[in-house]
Amino acid sequence: MKPDIRDALLAARAAARPVALATNLRSGQQRLIYATESEGDLCLDVDMVAAAAEALKADRPTTLSTPAGQVFIQVFNPPPRMIVVGAVHIAEPLAKMGELAGYGVTVVDPRRAFAAGQKFEGFTVLGDWPDEAMAKLKPNRRTAIVALTHDPKIDDPALLVALKSDAFYIGALGSSKTHAKRRDRMLAAGFSEATFQRIRGPVGLKIGARSPAEIAVSVLAEVIATLHETEKAKEPA
């Protein structure tokens, strides 16, 4: 790998910028392919750009046969992110488990007393109002958003932004009755029924969870399952 390609790849990874590295296995020529640009000495064609885009979406490497030889496309996506809205009891084990599972976790709660202390030490904690925090965080297709407060004044601003984003997972804690009221508010805000159905509620897989840690397990399991289902759906038939 040439130094300029190596340095650009390291810079992209440090900036959490999705990038695919295309390598001609015969010539050794390489090219970095980003969402809107590319760099390197390997000549691009339409099929290669499309293959790189699909590989990034599926988060899987692929090999493309070309007249110049086989081209291996390696994917360097940033780690998936998890935005936890509400520094409540469930948030602490969820943040820790999410980090262990490879997620970059951010906790959002404008109530200073809830996020104070050492329970979220080592995590990014934002005290902004949720809609302002979400505007800064810019959730994308590799972001999971989990609202945990039960308080519409805090959860709803986050969900309103989440539903306009490409987040692969949106979940909200609460009973079926609470979720029905949430539906009414989201529809009144102008969202369609189909868009509202993106919100998983009651949040988490049905495993009979009771304690905060058990509920966190059920939520993280649903997040992981959804991510892999999304990736599988993007694989070519």
Side-chain angles (χ1 to χ4, degrees), residues 1-2 5-6 17 28 32 57 60 67 76 87 93 98 114 118 133 166 170 188 193 196 205 208 213 217 224 235:
M1 181 181 294
K2 292 184 177 180
I5 291 289
R6 180 199 61 211
R17 184 183 185 189
L32 291 173
K57 288 180 181 178
R60 294 177 184 273
F76 294 92
F114 280 76
Q118 297 182 343
D166 294 328
I170 305 171
E193 179 67 33
F196 169 74
L205 297 182
V217 168
I224 293 170
E235 293 179 7

Side-chain angles (χ1 to χ4, degrees), residues 80-118:
R81 294 185 296 159
M82 181 184 295
I83 301 173
V84 179
V85 180
V88 296
H89 293 307
I90 297 167
E92 183 179 1
L94 179 59
K96 292 177 179 177
M97 293 176 191
E99 183 180 49
L100 286 172
Y103 288 77
V105 180
T106 299
V107 179
V108 177
D109 200 319
R111 304 166 300 181
R112 294 184 179 180
F114 280 76
Q118 297 182 343

Side-chain angles (χ1 to χ4, degrees), residues 121-144:
E121 186 176 358
F123 293 100
T124 299
V125 179
L126 299 182
D128 307 63
W129 203 252
D131 53 346
E132 297 172 352
M134 297 281 279
K136 293 179 181 177
L137 294 169
K138 295 180 173 57
N140 56 25
R141 60 183 175 81
R142 291 180 63 75
T143 307

Side-chain angles (χ1 to χ4, degrees), residues 16 36 61 67 79 88 126 137 154 170 183 185 197 202 228 234 237:
T36 58
V88 296
L126 299 182
L137 294 169
I154 297 176
I170 305 171
R183 172 185 176 274
R185 296 193 301 273
Q197 290 301 325
H228 293 323
K234 291 175 180 175

Side-chain angles (χ1 to χ4, degrees), residues 11-52:
R13 299 193 70 183
R17 184 183 185 189
V19 61
L21 174 64
T23 303
N24 185 297
L25 300 180
R26 180 188 298 172
S27 68
Q29 292 179 313
Q30 294 183 311
R31 195 168 196 92
L32 291 173
I33 305 172
Y34 307 95
T36 58
E37 59 183 317
S38 67
E39 59 181 305
D41 57 5
L42 176 63
C43 292
L44 281 176
D45 59 27
V46 174
D47 290 339
M48 195 182 300
V49 173

Side-chain angles (χ1 to χ4, degrees), residues 91-235:
E92 183 179 1
L94 179 59
K96 292 177 179 177
M97 293 176 191
E99 183 180 49
L100 286 172
Y103 288 77
V105 180
T106 299
V107 179
V108 177
D109 200 319
R111 304 166 300 181
R112 294 184 179 180
F114 280 76
Q118 297 182 343
K119 60 182 179 179
F120 294 110
E121 186 176 358
F123 293 100
T124 299
V125 179
L126 299 182
D128 307 63
W129 203 252
D131 53 346
E132 297 172 352
M134 297 281 279
K136 293 179 181 177
L137 294 169
K138 295 180 173 57
N140 56 25
R141 60 183 175 81
R142 291 180 63 75
T143 307
I145 300 163
V146 188
L148 297 175
T149 73
H150 279 285
D151 186 347
K153 295 191 298 297
I154 297 176
D155 285 351
D156 283 10
L159 295 174
L160 290 169
V161 177
L163 288 175
K164 296 177 183 177
S165 76
D166 294 328
F168 75 85
Y169 178 92
I170 305 171
L173 189 67
S175 65
S176 297
K177 184 177 179 180
T178 297
H179 197 58
K181 293 180 179 178
R182 183 180 295 125
R183 172 185 176 274
D184 292 341
R185 296 193 301 273
M186 294 297 111
L187 296 185
F191 291 105
S192 68
E193 179 67 33
T195 299
F196 169 74
Q197 290 301 325
R198 293 181 61 199
I199 303 176
R200 306 295 184 99
V203 71
L205 297 182
K206 298 184 184 303
I207 60 172
R210 295 182 181 180
S211 69
E214 288 177 344
I215 295 171
V217 168
S218 74
V219 172
L220 181 59
E222 188 173 55
V223 169
I224 293 170
T226 303
L227 176 61
H228 293 323
E229 288 167 5
T230 301
E231 292 172 346
K232 186 175 181 180
K234 291 175 180 175
E235 293 179 7

